[in-house]
Amino acid sequence: MNLFEPKKRYPLETGCMLISEPFMNDDSFQRAVILIAAYKPEKGAFGLVLNHPSPFAINDAVPEVYDFNTLYEGGPVSENELFYIHTVGHLLTNCENIIDDVCFGGDFENVKSLINSGVIKPHHIMFFKGYSGWDAGQLEQEIENGAWVVSPYNASLLFADADTDIWSKALNDLGDIYPLWTEFPINPNEN
């Protein structure tokens, strides 16, 4: 029996989460937790990195939004575009439900107005510059090669404070052998 072989596997589907393996050396995905916002096996996957805050706030990218919350690095694709997930789908048109009450996108003019009027609070919404994307079959192959662990949706990881170690929390919540991964150094040569 391999000590590092997981005992349970979760399905890759819209609303699941991906957790990167401890030694991933791609800066965009190092110790990343990604919410899969859309997945179709024949088309691929679209996700947003939940735990890579940028040094900017949303009002740095959108000056008409008052001082609000952190802008996250959603991934290496379309880094000049803004994406957002939220729990206020009942207030917005044109948003897509991901899982439970978490939605993607919606009328951005309405979002700005609701933020500036205080209706949308920082714990209701996350903003991302860029996204993470995979072509059909690409993510499945990366999972098979051990780059990612698929996790079921975990609401406690969304809208967490930027200082929270979401990657370690996600692994600890999975149990099994995964809490051991949090003990590995980022650079194995530093061991």
Side-chain angles (χ1 to χ4, degrees), residues 66-154:
Y66 302 149
D67 189 28
F68 196 59
N69 62 358
T70 303
L71 178 62
Y72 287 82
E73 305 280 348
V77 183
S78 297
E79 292 179 293
N80 292 325
E81 291 185 48
L82 185 68
F83 302 91
Y84 47 99
I85 58 173
H86 53 84
T87 58
V88 292
H90 60 286
L91 299 175
L92 302 175
T93 57
N94 300 321
C95 61
E96 295 180 34
N97 184 265
I98 298 171
I99 192 165
D100 293 347
D101 65 343
V102 178
C103 296
F104 172 79
D107 181 343
F108 191 59
E109 291 303 314
N110 199 8
V111 168
K112 292 188 293 188
S113 174
L114 292 170
I115 287 172
N116 291 337
S117 65
V119 174
I120 294 180
K121 307 279 188 215
H123 64 275
H124 293 138
I125 194 164
M126 288 180 76
F127 292 97
F128 304 87
K129 66 183 204 74
Y131 70 92
S132 303
W134 295 266
D135 289 331
Q138 182 183 3
L139 181 55
E140 292 86 345
Q141 187 61 55
E142 290 180 18
I143 292 167
E144 186 64 31
N145 291 340
W148 303 100
V149 173
V150 179
S151 166
Y153 170 69
N154 184 337

Side-chain angles (χ1 to χ4, degrees), residues 26-49:
D26 183 329
D27 288 342
S28 296
F29 301 122
Q30 189 174 65
R31 304 225 168 175
V33 176
I34 298 176
L35 174 66
I36 296 299
Y39 172 72
K40 292 188 177 180
E42 68 280 3
K43 293 189 176 192
F46 171 94
L48 298 162
V49 179

